[in-house]
Amino acid sequence: MERQNESNIEDQIIFEDNHILVINKKVGQLVQGDKTGDKSILELIKNHIKNRDQKPGNVFLGLVHRIDRPTSGLVIYAKTSKALTRLTKMVKDREIKKTYWAVVPKSDIPQSARLINYLQKNEKTNKSTVFTKATDNAKEAILNYEVIRQLDNFMLLEIDLETGRHHQIRAQLSKIGASIKGDLKYGAPRSNPDGGIHLHARKLEFTHPVTKENVVITAPVPKEDPVWQACEK
């Protein structure tokens, strides 16, 4: 996993105004602090803004939503409490459209499908179990996918999330026999060299919480990864 570096955080900022900052997260970066004690993007951006804008006091920055450490792509942070409150509600009300890209091995899964399952999170193993029918303590999980590119050994899936459950894409794709490249936890045969998985938060679409303008942001795929580069060509 790549260690965080304050010097390159500026290059990862893909959108910023007075209320919102959106970053293109790299594989291995933490969106916020956890028990590992590794420096998170939240801390890096705070330090960056403090130095860049020469702010004397504490910098306000709130995390709006999360993506897993092994994944890459778009994460929204709020620079004002007003934006944080409104964006958090928008996430809850499913008013932020999230599109992901996932690389999976070539298989005979349908070209496109709507997957409806029920996910139960195990806190001890940090893994979600997929059920096909409603089950105690399991939450409904819905996604739509489409195969948008064929590579030599892999396929590129574009995924639209209708719900935001723990490890949802990883677990649901594994259930249909399409484990994400590098995702050992959910059935991939081998890990990726960087310890990450080929899941990328590709696009966000939402109404700006303050200006009310329509915001559409697309994140380039990791440039050092040949498989991702083949997907984007």
Side-chain angles (χ1 to χ4, degrees), residues 4-6 9 12-13 21-26 28-34 38-51 58-67 75-80 84:
Q4 285 70 28
N5 183 345
E6 282 185 52
I9 205 73
Q12 291 180 247
I13 297 171
L21 187 147
V22 180
I23 200 131
N24 188 6
K25 185 181 102 63
K26 294 181 179 182
Q29 288 183 313
L30 282 169
V31 292
Q32 69 177 51
D34 71 356
D38 292 341
K39 207 160 214 181
S40 69
I41 297 176
L42 189 73
E43 295 171 83
L44 292 173
I45 299 170
K46 276 187 176 184
N47 291 341
H48 172 69
I49 291 173
K50 188 177 178 68
N51 294 330
N58 291 330
V59 172
F60 179 90
L61 196 70
L63 177 64
V64 174
H65 65 108
R66 296 168 177 78
I67 62 174
V75 184
I76 308 172
Y77 292 87
K79 293 170 68 179
T80 61
L84 181 61

mmCIF file of all heavy atoms in Angstrom, residues 4-6 9 12-13 21-26 28-34 38-51 58-67 75-80 84:
data_model
loop_
_atom_site.group_PDB
_atom_site.id
_atom_site.type_symbol
_atom_site.label_atom_id
_atom_site.label_comp_id
_atom_site.label_asym_id
_atom_site.label_seq_id
_atom_site.Cartn_x
_atom_site.Cartn_y
_atom_site.Cartn_z
ATOM 1 N N GLN A 4 0.967 7.792 2.465
ATOM 2 C CA GLN A 4 0.507 9.139 2.134
ATOM 3 C C GLN A 4 1.665 10.128 2.095
ATOM 4 O O GLN A 4 2.628 10.009 2.837
ATOM 5 C CB GLN A 4 -0.524 9.611 3.170
ATOM 6 C CG GLN A 4 -1.887 8.957 3.014
ATOM 7 C CD GLN A 4 -1.892 7.486 3.375
ATOM 8 O OE1 GLN A 4 -1.104 7.045 4.179
ATOM 9 N NE2 GLN A 4 -2.786 6.728 2.775
ATOM 10 N N ASN A 5 1.535 11.108 1.232
ATOM 11 C CA ASN A 5 2.588 12.086 1.045
ATOM 12 C C ASN A 5 1.957 13.457 0.862
ATOM 13 O O ASN A 5 1.156 13.668 -0.025
ATOM 14 C CB ASN A 5 3.400 11.699 -0.192
ATOM 15 C CG ASN A 5 4.575 12.615 -0.440
ATOM 16 O OD1 ASN A 5 4.645 13.714 0.133
ATOM 17 N ND2 ASN A 5 5.490 12.180 -1.265
ATOM 18 N N GLU A 6 2.318 14.389 1.753
ATOM 19 C CA GLU A 6 1.705 15.713 1.703
ATOM 20 C C GLU A 6 2.051 16.474 0.426
ATOM 21 O O GLU A 6 1.285 17.299 -0.038
ATOM 22 C CB GLU A 6 2.142 16.541 2.932
ATOM 23 C CG GLU A 6 1.390 16.142 4.185
ATOM 24 C CD GLU A 6 1.723 17.037 5.370
ATOM 25 O OE1 GLU A 6 1.632 18.260 5.218
ATOM 26 O OE2 GLU A 6 2.055 16.488 6.434
ATOM 27 N N ILE A 9 -0.590 15.908 -2.571
ATOM 28 C CA ILE A 9 -2.046 15.987 -2.353
ATOM 29 C C ILE A 9 -2.684 17.044 -3.253
ATOM 30 O O ILE A 9 -3.810 16.880 -3.711
ATOM 31 C CB ILE A 9 -2.387 16.228 -0.853
ATOM 32 C CG1 ILE A 9 -3.798 15.713 -0.539
ATOM 33 C CG2 ILE A 9 -2.230 17.680 -0.452
ATOM 34 C CD1 ILE A 9 -3.920 14.221 -0.486
ATOM 35 N N GLN A 12 -3.916 15.735 -6.461
ATOM 36 C CA GLN A 12 -5.074 14.844 -6.385
ATOM 37 C C GLN A 12 -6.403 15.609 -6.280
ATOM 38 O O GLN A 12 -7.463 14.995 -6.434
ATOM 39 C CB GLN A 12 -4.937 13.904 -5.184
ATOM 40 C CG GLN A 12 -3.836 12.865 -5.333
ATOM 41 C CD GLN A 12 -3.754 11.979 -4.100
ATOM 42 O OE1 GLN A 12 -2.781 12.011 -3.348
ATOM 43 N NE2 GLN A 12 -4.792 11.198 -3.866
ATOM 44 N N ILE A 13 -6.336 16.908 -6.014
ATOM 45 C CA ILE A 13 -7.569 17.692 -5.909
ATOM 46 C C ILE A 13 -8.134 17.892 -7.319
ATOM 47 O O ILE A 13 -7.474 18.434 -8.191
ATOM 48 C CB ILE A 13 -7.318 19.048 -5.224
ATOM 49 C CG1 ILE A 13 -6.843 18.840 -3.786
ATOM 50 C CG2 ILE A 13 -8.596 19.901 -5.240
ATOM 51 C CD1 ILE A 13 -6.353 20.099 -3.090
ATOM 52 N N LEU A 21 -14.562 20.192 -1.626
ATOM 53 C CA LEU A 21 -13.299 19.756 -2.203
ATOM 54 C C LEU A 21 -13.460 18.273 -2.563
ATOM 55 O O LEU A 21 -13.884 17.477 -1.728
ATOM 56 C CB LEU A 21 -12.151 19.963 -1.220
ATOM 57 C CG LEU A 21 -10.736 19.701 -1.744
ATOM 58 C CD1 LEU A 21 -9.732 20.640 -1.078
ATOM 59 C CD2 LEU A 21 -10.319 18.249 -1.504
ATOM 60 N N VAL A 22 -13.149 17.930 -3.814
ATOM 61 C CA VAL A 22 -13.239 16.533 -4.262
ATOM 62 C C VAL A 22 -11.850 16.065 -4.646
ATOM 63 O O VAL A 22 -11.122 16.743 -5.377
ATOM 64 C CB VAL A 22 -14.203 16.384 -5.458
ATOM 65 C CG1 VAL A 22 -14.280 14.911 -5.898
ATOM 66 C CG2 VAL A 22 -15.598 16.911 -5.102
ATOM 67 N N ILE A 23 -11.487 14.893 -4.136
ATOM 68 C CA ILE A 23 -10.144 14.363 -4.363
ATOM 69 C C ILE A 23 -10.219 13.065 -5.161
ATOM 70 O O ILE A 23 -11.205 12.345 -5.080
ATOM 71 C CB ILE A 23 -9.433 14.135 -3.010
ATOM 72 C CG1 ILE A 23 -7.906 14.054 -3.175
ATOM 73 C CG2 ILE A 23 -9.916 12.890 -2.301
ATOM 74 C CD1 ILE A 23 -7.173 14.922 -2.216
ATOM 75 N N ASN A 24 -9.178 12.795 -5.945
ATOM 76 C CA ASN A 24 -9.059 11.514 -6.638
ATOM 77 C C ASN A 24 -8.136 10.643 -5.796
ATOM 78 O O ASN A 24 -6.913 10.747 -5.878
ATOM 79 C CB ASN A 24 -8.501 11.723 -8.049
ATOM 80 C CG ASN A 24 -8.528 10.456 -8.891
ATOM 81 O OD1 ASN A 24 -9.058 9.436 -8.483
ATOM 82 N ND2 ASN A 24 -7.950 10.525 -10.076
ATOM 83 N N LYS A 25 -8.723 9.808 -4.970
ATOM 84 C CA LYS A 25 -7.974 8.999 -4.009
ATOM 85 C C LYS A 25 -7.135 7.929 -4.699
ATOM 86 O O LYS A 25 -7.561 7.328 -5.663
ATOM 87 C CB LYS A 25 -8.953 8.324 -3.027
ATOM 88 C CG LYS A 25 -8.268 7.550 -1.903
ATOM 89 C CD LYS A 25 -9.278 6.886 -0.994
ATOM 90 C CE LYS A 25 -9.430 5.406 -1.274
ATOM 91 N NZ LYS A 25 -8.215 4.591 -1.052
ATOM 92 N N LYS A 26 -5.938 7.735 -4.175
ATOM 93 C CA LYS A 26 -5.075 6.664 -4.677
ATOM 94 C C LYS A 26 -5.301 5.387 -3.868
ATOM 95 O O LYS A 26 -5.748 5.439 -2.721
ATOM 96 C CB LYS A 26 -3.600 7.072 -4.571
ATOM 97 C CG LYS A 26 -3.219 8.236 -5.464
ATOM 98 C CD LYS A 26 -1.738 8.549 -5.318
ATOM 99 C CE LYS A 26 -1.324 9.706 -6.234
ATOM 100 N NZ LYS A 26 0.127 9.972 -6.128
ATOM 101 N N GLY A 28 -4.679 2.607 -1.402
ATOM 102 C CA GLY A 28 -3.910 2.582 -0.152
ATOM 103 C C GLY A 28 -4.109 3.781 0.742
ATOM 104 O O GLY A 28 -3.769 3.738 1.917
ATOM 105 N N GLN A 29 -4.661 4.864 0.204
ATOM 106 C CA GLN A 29 -4.888 6.047 1.039
ATOM 107 C C GLN A 29 -6.146 5.871 1.884
ATOM 108 O O GLN A 29 -7.149 5.328 1.418
ATOM 109 C CB GLN A 29 -5.019 7.303 0.169
ATOM 110 C CG GLN A 29 -3.719 7.772 -0.445
ATOM 111 C CD GLN A 29 -3.883 9.054 -1.244
ATOM 112 O OE1 GLN A 29 -4.795 9.171 -2.043
ATOM 113 N NE2 GLN A 29 -3.008 10.012 -1.028
ATOM 114 N N LEU A 30 -6.078 6.376 3.095
ATOM 115 C CA LEU A 30 -7.234 6.371 4.004
ATOM 116 C C LEU A 30 -8.029 7.653 3.803
ATOM 117 O O LEU A 30 -7.452 8.737 3.731
ATOM 118 C CB LEU A 30 -6.755 6.348 5.460
ATOM 119 C CG LEU A 30 -6.270 5.034 6.045
ATOM 120 C CD1 LEU A 30 -5.602 5.312 7.389
ATOM 121 C CD2 LEU A 30 -7.417 4.063 6.227
ATOM 122 N N VAL A 31 -9.363 7.538 3.747
ATOM 123 C CA VAL A 31 -10.157 8.763 3.608
ATOM 124 C C VAL A 31 -10.217 9.529 4.931
ATOM 125 O O VAL A 31 -10.327 10.747 4.960
ATOM 126 C CB VAL A 31 -11.587 8.476 3.092
ATOM 127 C CG1 VAL A 31 -11.542 7.979 1.657
ATOM 128 C CG2 VAL A 31 -12.334 7.484 3.974
ATOM 129 N N GLN A 32 -10.141 8.795 6.058
ATOM 130 C CA GLN A 32 -10.047 9.444 7.367
ATOM 131 C C GLN A 32 -9.281 8.520 8.302
ATOM 132 O O GLN A 32 -9.061 7.357 7.974
ATOM 133 C CB GLN A 32 -11.425 9.773 7.936
ATOM 134 C CG GLN A 32 -12.258 8.580 8.347
ATOM 135 C CD GLN A 32 -13.577 8.996 8.975
ATOM 136 O OE1 GLN A 32 -14.300 9.787 8.418
ATOM 137 N NE2 GLN A 32 -13.891 8.445 10.124
ATOM 138 N N GLY A 33 -8.865 9.035 9.451
ATOM 139 C CA GLY A 33 -8.033 8.263 10.367
ATOM 140 C C GLY A 33 -8.699 6.981 10.835
ATOM 141 O O GLY A 33 -9.914 6.915 10.971
ATOM 142 N N ASP A 34 -7.895 5.950 11.098
ATOM 143 C CA ASP A 34 -8.403 4.699 11.665
ATOM 144 C C ASP A 34 -7.388 4.160 12.666
ATOM 145 O O ASP A 34 -6.430 4.836 13.036
ATOM 146 C CB ASP A 34 -8.736 3.688 10.554
ATOM 147 C CG ASP A 34 -7.473 3.125 9.874
ATOM 148 O OD1 ASP A 34 -6.347 3.575 10.215
ATOM 149 O OD2 ASP A 34 -7.612 2.253 9.010
ATOM 150 N N ASP A 38 -2.139 5.516 10.422
ATOM 151 C CA ASP A 38 -1.569 6.096 9.201
ATOM 152 C C ASP A 38 -2.237 7.440 8.916
ATOM 153 O O ASP A 38 -3.412 7.642 9.203
ATOM 154 C CB ASP A 38 -1.779 5.161 8.005
ATOM 155 C CG ASP A 38 -0.956 3.883 8.126
ATOM 156 O OD1 ASP A 38 0.010 3.883 8.912
ATOM 157 O OD2 ASP A 38 -1.279 2.902 7.437
ATOM 158 N N LYS A 39 -1.474 8.327 8.307
ATOM 159 C CA LYS A 39 -2.000 9.655 8.000
ATOM 160 C C LYS A 39 -3.090 9.539 6.940
ATOM 161 O O LYS A 39 -2.927 8.847 5.934
ATOM 162 C CB LYS A 39 -0.878 10.563 7.508
ATOM 163 C CG LYS A 39 -1.119 12.031 7.780
ATOM 164 C CD LYS A 39 0.167 12.832 7.726
ATOM 165 C CE LYS A 39 0.122 13.971 8.734
ATOM 166 N NZ LYS A 39 1.324 14.792 8.706
ATOM 167 N N SER A 40 -4.212 10.235 7.152
ATOM 168 C CA SER A 40 -5.343 10.145 6.234
ATOM 169 C C SER A 40 -5.364 11.331 5.273
ATOM 170 O O SER A 40 -4.708 12.352 5.498
ATOM 171 C CB SER A 40 -6.655 10.116 7.017
ATOM 172 O OG SER A 40 -6.880 11.384 7.625
ATOM 173 N N ILE A 41 -6.162 11.185 4.205
ATOM 174 C CA ILE A 41 -6.346 12.289 3.259
ATOM 175 C C ILE A 41 -6.926 13.491 3.982
ATOM 176 O O ILE A 41 -6.579 14.634 3.686
ATOM 177 C CB ILE A 41 -7.260 11.871 2.091
ATOM 178 C CG1 ILE A 41 -6.627 10.742 1.286
ATOM 179 C CG2 ILE A 41 -7.537 13.056 1.173
ATOM 180 C CD1 ILE A 41 -7.513 10.220 0.165
ATOM 181 N N LEU A 42 -7.838 13.241 4.915
ATOM 182 C CA LEU A 42 -8.457 14.329 5.686
ATOM 183 C C LEU A 42 -7.384 15.209 6.327
ATOM 184 O O LEU A 42 -7.410 16.445 6.194
ATOM 185 C CB LEU A 42 -9.386 13.744 6.756
ATOM 186 C CG LEU A 42 -10.275 14.727 7.518
ATOM 187 C CD1 LEU A 42 -11.411 15.244 6.632
ATOM 188 C CD2 LEU A 42 -10.863 14.071 8.762
ATOM 189 N N GLU A 43 -6.415 14.582 6.990
ATOM 190 C CA GLU A 43 -5.323 15.337 7.628
ATOM 191 C C GLU A 43 -4.438 16.037 6.595
ATOM 192 O O GLU A 43 -4.028 17.187 6.780
ATOM 193 C CB GLU A 43 -4.454 14.389 8.468
ATOM 194 C CG GLU A 43 -5.146 13.744 9.654
ATOM 195 C CD GLU A 43 -4.260 12.669 10.255
ATOM 196 O OE1 GLU A 43 -3.379 13.022 11.054
ATOM 197 O OE2 GLU A 43 -4.436 11.483 9.917
ATOM 198 N N LEU A 44 -4.143 15.331 5.502
ATOM 199 C CA LEU A 44 -3.275 15.891 4.468
ATOM 200 C C LEU A 44 -3.890 17.138 3.840
ATOM 201 O O LEU A 44 -3.196 18.132 3.619
ATOM 202 C CB LEU A 44 -2.999 14.849 3.377
ATOM 203 C CG LEU A 44 -2.149 13.640 3.781
ATOM 204 C CD1 LEU A 44 -2.116 12.614 2.660
ATOM 205 C CD2 LEU A 44 -0.732 14.059 4.149
ATOM 206 N N ILE A 45 -5.197 17.066 3.552
ATOM 207 C CA ILE A 45 -5.863 18.225 2.936
ATOM 208 C C ILE A 45 -5.925 19.386 3.927
ATOM 209 O O ILE A 45 -5.688 20.538 3.555
ATOM 210 C CB ILE A 45 -7.279 17.869 2.453
ATOM 211 C CG1 ILE A 45 -7.240 16.775 1.385
ATOM 212 C CG2 ILE A 45 -7.964 19.103 1.853
ATOM 213 C CD1 ILE A 45 -8.606 16.216 1.036
ATOM 214 N N LYS A 46 -6.243 19.087 5.181
ATOM 215 C CA LYS A 46 -6.282 20.143 6.207
ATOM 216 C C LYS A 46 -4.940 20.871 6.276
ATOM 217 O O LYS A 46 -4.883 22.107 6.292
ATOM 218 C CB LYS A 46 -6.625 19.548 7.581
ATOM 219 C CG LYS A 46 -8.100 19.366 7.842
ATOM 220 C CD LYS A 46 -8.285 18.937 9.293
ATOM 221 C CE LYS A 46 -9.746 18.835 9.668
ATOM 222 N NZ LYS A 46 -9.913 18.502 11.103
ATOM 223 N N ASN A 47 -3.856 20.102 6.331
ATOM 224 C CA ASN A 47 -2.514 20.701 6.391
ATOM 225 C C ASN A 47 -2.217 21.501 5.127
ATOM 226 O O ASN A 47 -1.636 22.589 5.183
ATOM 227 C CB ASN A 47 -1.454 19.606 6.565
ATOM 228 C CG ASN A 47 -1.522 18.946 7.932
ATOM 229 O OD1 ASN A 47 -2.097 19.500 8.864
ATOM 230 N ND2 ASN A 47 -0.955 17.756 8.043
ATOM 231 N N HIS A 48 -2.628 20.958 3.992
ATOM 232 C CA HIS A 48 -2.397 21.622 2.709
ATOM 233 C C HIS A 48 -3.124 22.974 2.653
ATOM 234 O O HIS A 48 -2.539 23.990 2.266
ATOM 235 C CB HIS A 48 -2.873 20.717 1.568
ATOM 236 C CG HIS A 48 -2.851 21.380 0.224
ATOM 237 N ND1 HIS A 48 -1.675 21.715 -0.416
ATOM 238 C CD2 HIS A 48 -3.862 21.795 -0.584
ATOM 239 C CE1 HIS A 48 -1.977 22.294 -1.573
ATOM 240 N NE2 HIS A 48 -3.290 22.359 -1.693
ATOM 241 N N ILE A 49 -4.390 22.976 3.046
ATOM 242 C CA ILE A 49 -5.184 24.221 3.020
ATOM 243 C C ILE A 49 -4.611 25.234 4.010
ATOM 244 O O ILE A 49 -4.506 26.426 3.711
ATOM 245 C CB ILE A 49 -6.671 23.926 3.333
ATOM 246 C CG1 ILE A 49 -7.311 23.130 2.179
ATOM 247 C CG2 ILE A 49 -7.452 25.229 3.550
ATOM 248 C CD1 ILE A 49 -8.719 22.644 2.470
ATOM 249 N N LYS A 50 -4.235 24.750 5.181
ATOM 250 C CA LYS A 50 -3.673 25.638 6.211
ATOM 251 C C LYS A 50 -2.412 26.350 5.694
ATOM 252 O O LYS A 50 -2.260 27.561 5.858
ATOM 253 C CB LYS A 50 -3.355 24.830 7.473
ATOM 254 C CG LYS A 50 -2.950 25.673 8.678
ATOM 255 C CD LYS A 50 -2.726 24.770 9.882
ATOM 256 C CE LYS A 50 -2.267 25.569 11.087
ATOM 257 N NZ LYS A 50 -3.297 26.461 11.635
ATOM 258 N N ASN A 51 -1.535 25.591 5.032
ATOM 259 C CA ASN A 51 -0.299 26.161 4.498
ATOM 260 C C ASN A 51 -0.553 27.022 3.264
ATOM 261 O O ASN A 51 -0.009 28.124 3.139
ATOM 262 C CB ASN A 51 0.690 25.039 4.156
ATOM 263 C CG ASN A 51 1.156 24.293 5.395
ATOM 264 O OD1 ASN A 51 1.218 24.866 6.477
ATOM 265 N ND2 ASN A 51 1.461 23.016 5.242
ATOM 266 N N ASN A 58 -7.640 26.440 13.154
ATOM 267 C CA ASN A 58 -7.933 25.109 12.626
ATOM 268 C C ASN A 58 -8.709 25.211 11.318
ATOM 269 O O ASN A 58 -9.520 26.120 11.131
ATOM 270 C CB ASN A 58 -8.746 24.302 13.640
ATOM 271 C CG ASN A 58 -7.920 23.931 14.860
ATOM 272 O OD1 ASN A 58 -6.704 23.761 14.762
ATOM 273 N ND2 ASN A 58 -8.566 23.809 16.004
ATOM 274 N N VAL A 59 -8.465 24.296 10.434
ATOM 275 C CA VAL A 59 -9.168 24.242 9.149
ATOM 276 C C VAL A 59 -10.355 23.287 9.292
ATOM 277 O O VAL A 59 -10.193 22.157 9.757
ATOM 278 C CB VAL A 59 -8.232 23.736 8.028
ATOM 279 C CG1 VAL A 59 -9.017 23.487 6.745
ATOM 280 C CG2 VAL A 59 -7.103 24.727 7.797
ATOM 281 N N PHE A 60 -11.551 23.749 8.900
ATOM 282 C CA PHE A 60 -12.719 22.867 8.927
ATOM 283 C C PHE A 60 -12.734 22.010 7.666
ATOM 284 O O PHE A 60 -12.619 22.514 6.556
ATOM 285 C CB PHE A 60 -14.025 23.677 9.009
ATOM 286 C CG PHE A 60 -15.255 22.792 9.018
ATOM 287 C CD1 PHE A 60 -15.787 22.335 10.219
ATOM 288 C CD2 PHE A 60 -15.870 22.393 7.839
ATOM 289 C CE1 PHE A 60 -16.889 21.500 10.241
ATOM 290 C CE2 PHE A 60 -16.982 21.552 7.842
ATOM 291 C CZ PHE A 60 -17.495 21.119 9.046
ATOM 292 N N LEU A 61 -12.874 20.707 7.857
ATOM 293 C CA LEU A 61 -13.021 19.803 6.725
ATOM 294 C C LEU A 61 -13.793 18.582 7.193
ATOM 295 O O LEU A 61 -13.418 17.940 8.170
ATOM 296 C CB LEU A 61 -11.652 19.380 6.182
ATOM 297 C CG LEU A 61 -11.659 18.756 4.789
ATOM 298 C CD1 LEU A 61 -11.991 19.787 3.716
ATOM 299 C CD2 LEU A 61 -10.314 18.113 4.472
ATOM 300 N N GLY A 62 -14.899 18.297 6.515
ATOM 301 C CA GLY A 62 -15.735 17.164 6.906
ATOM 302 C C GLY A 62 -15.818 16.133 5.798
ATOM 303 O O GLY A 62 -15.932 16.468 4.617
ATOM 304 N N LEU A 63 -15.744 14.855 6.175
ATOM 305 C CA LEU A 63 -15.855 13.769 5.210
ATOM 306 C C LEU A 63 -17.331 13.490 4.939
ATOM 307 O O LEU A 63 -18.101 13.250 5.861
ATOM 308 C CB LEU A 63 -15.170 12.512 5.754
ATOM 309 C CG LEU A 63 -15.254 11.256 4.892
ATOM 310 C CD1 LEU A 63 -14.536 11.453 3.567
ATOM 311 C CD2 LEU A 63 -14.669 10.068 5.638
ATOM 312 N N VAL A 64 -17.713 13.512 3.660
ATOM 313 C CA VAL A 64 -19.116 13.340 3.272
ATOM 314 C C VAL A 64 -19.465 11.865 3.089
ATOM 315 O O VAL A 64 -20.545 11.414 3.455
ATOM 316 C CB VAL A 64 -19.409 14.132 1.976
ATOM 317 C CG1 VAL A 64 -20.812 13.855 1.464
ATOM 318 C CG2 VAL A 64 -19.205 15.624 2.227
ATOM 319 N N HIS A 65 -18.560 11.074 2.524
ATOM 320 C CA HIS A 65 -18.801 9.641 2.295
ATOM 321 C C HIS A 65 -17.449 8.953 2.231
ATOM 322 O O HIS A 65 -16.412 9.602 2.161
ATOM 323 C CB HIS A 65 -19.586 9.418 0.987
ATOM 324 C CG HIS A 65 -18.811 9.830 -0.226
ATOM 325 N ND1 HIS A 65 -18.278 8.933 -1.127
ATOM 326 C CD2 HIS A 65 -18.444 11.061 -0.681
ATOM 327 C CE1 HIS A 65 -17.634 9.585 -2.070
ATOM 328 N NE2 HIS A 65 -17.709 10.878 -1.824
ATOM 329 N N ARG A 66 -17.460 7.631 2.237
ATOM 330 C CA ARG A 66 -16.212 6.867 2.262
ATOM 331 C C ARG A 66 -16.090 5.956 1.052
ATOM 332 O O ARG A 66 -17.086 5.535 0.490
ATOM 333 C CB ARG A 66 -16.150 5.975 3.517
ATOM 334 C CG ARG A 66 -16.117 6.736 4.813
ATOM 335 C CD ARG A 66 -16.354 5.786 5.990
ATOM 336 N NE ARG A 66 -16.264 6.489 7.264
ATOM 337 C CZ ARG A 66 -17.216 7.242 7.766
ATOM 338 N NH1 ARG A 66 -18.351 7.411 7.111
ATOM 339 N NH2 ARG A 66 -17.070 7.843 8.934
ATOM 340 N N ILE A 67 -14.848 5.637 0.680
ATOM 341 C CA ILE A 67 -14.601 4.490 -0.187
ATOM 342 C C ILE A 67 -13.486 3.673 0.468
ATOM 343 O O ILE A 67 -12.703 4.192 1.257
ATOM 344 C CB ILE A 67 -14.253 4.881 -1.645
ATOM 345 C CG1 ILE A 67 -12.963 5.708 -1.744
ATOM 346 C CG2 ILE A 67 -15.399 5.614 -2.312
ATOM 347 C CD1 ILE A 67 -12.526 5.990 -3.191
ATOM 348 N N VAL A 75 -13.704 11.150 -3.835
ATOM 349 C CA VAL A 75 -14.214 11.301 -2.468
ATOM 350 C C VAL A 75 -14.520 12.782 -2.247
ATOM 351 O O VAL A 75 -13.715 13.646 -2.600
ATOM 352 C CB VAL A 75 -13.190 10.837 -1.414
ATOM 353 C CG1 VAL A 75 -13.796 10.928 -0.017
ATOM 354 C CG2 VAL A 75 -12.731 9.413 -1.689
ATOM 355 N N ILE A 76 -15.703 13.057 -1.677
ATOM 356 C CA ILE A 76 -16.116 14.444 -1.418
ATOM 357 C C ILE A 76 -15.811 14.829 0.027
ATOM 358 O O ILE A 76 -16.148 14.087 0.954
ATOM 359 C CB ILE A 76 -17.632 14.634 -1.645
ATOM 360 C CG1 ILE A 76 -18.059 14.125 -3.023
ATOM 361 C CG2 ILE A 76 -18.024 16.109 -1.493
ATOM 362 C CD1 ILE A 76 -19.574 14.111 -3.224
ATOM 363 N N TYR A 77 -15.204 15.997 0.196
ATOM 364 C CA TYR A 77 -15.018 16.604 1.516
ATOM 365 C C TYR A 77 -15.733 17.956 1.517
ATOM 366 O O TYR A 77 -15.783 18.638 0.495
ATOM 367 C CB TYR A 77 -13.536 16.803 1.835
ATOM 368 C CG TYR A 77 -12.774 15.517 2.026
ATOM 369 C CD1 TYR A 77 -12.202 14.849 0.944
ATOM 370 C CD2 TYR A 77 -12.618 14.952 3.293
ATOM 371 C CE1 TYR A 77 -11.503 13.668 1.108
ATOM 372 C CE2 TYR A 77 -11.911 13.768 3.462
ATOM 373 C CZ TYR A 77 -11.370 13.136 2.378
ATOM 374 O OH TYR A 77 -10.680 11.956 2.548
ATOM 375 N N ALA A 78 -16.277 18.333 2.673
ATOM 376 C CA ALA A 78 -16.970 19.619 2.799
ATOM 377 C C ALA A 78 -16.080 20.600 3.542
ATOM 378 O O ALA A 78 -15.476 20.262 4.567
ATOM 379 C CB ALA A 78 -18.288 19.440 3.548
ATOM 380 N N LYS A 79 -15.995 21.830 3.021
ATOM 381 C CA LYS A 79 -15.152 22.861 3.624
ATOM 382 C C LYS A 79 -15.929 23.772 4.565
ATOM 383 O O LYS A 79 -15.326 24.611 5.249
ATOM 384 C CB LYS A 79 -14.480 23.685 2.526
ATOM 385 C CG LYS A 79 -13.466 22.886 1.700
ATOM 386 C CD LYS A 79 -12.997 23.653 0.475
ATOM 387 C CE LYS A 79 -12.155 24.867 0.836
ATOM 388 N NZ LYS A 79 -11.688 25.598 -0.366
ATOM 389 N N THR A 80 -17.254 23.633 4.591
ATOM 390 C CA THR A 80 -18.087 24.413 5.511
ATOM 391 C C THR A 80 -19.086 23.478 6.178
ATOM 392 O O THR A 80 -19.454 22.441 5.614
ATOM 393 C CB THR A 80 -18.871 25.523 4.774
ATOM 394 O OG1 THR A 80 -19.747 24.917 3.812
ATOM 395 C CG2 THR A 80 -17.935 26.501 4.074
ATOM 396 N N LEU A 84 -21.452 20.416 4.653
ATOM 397 C CA LEU A 84 -21.379 19.073 5.228
ATOM 398 C C LEU A 84 -22.757 18.552 5.601
ATOM 399 O O LEU A 84 -23.118 17.418 5.270
ATOM 400 C CB LEU A 84 -20.455 19.072 6.451
ATOM 401 C CG LEU A 84 -20.280 17.713 7.140
ATOM 402 C CD1 LEU A 84 -19.660 16.692 6.194
ATOM 403 C CD2 LEU A 84 -19.435 17.847 8.402
#
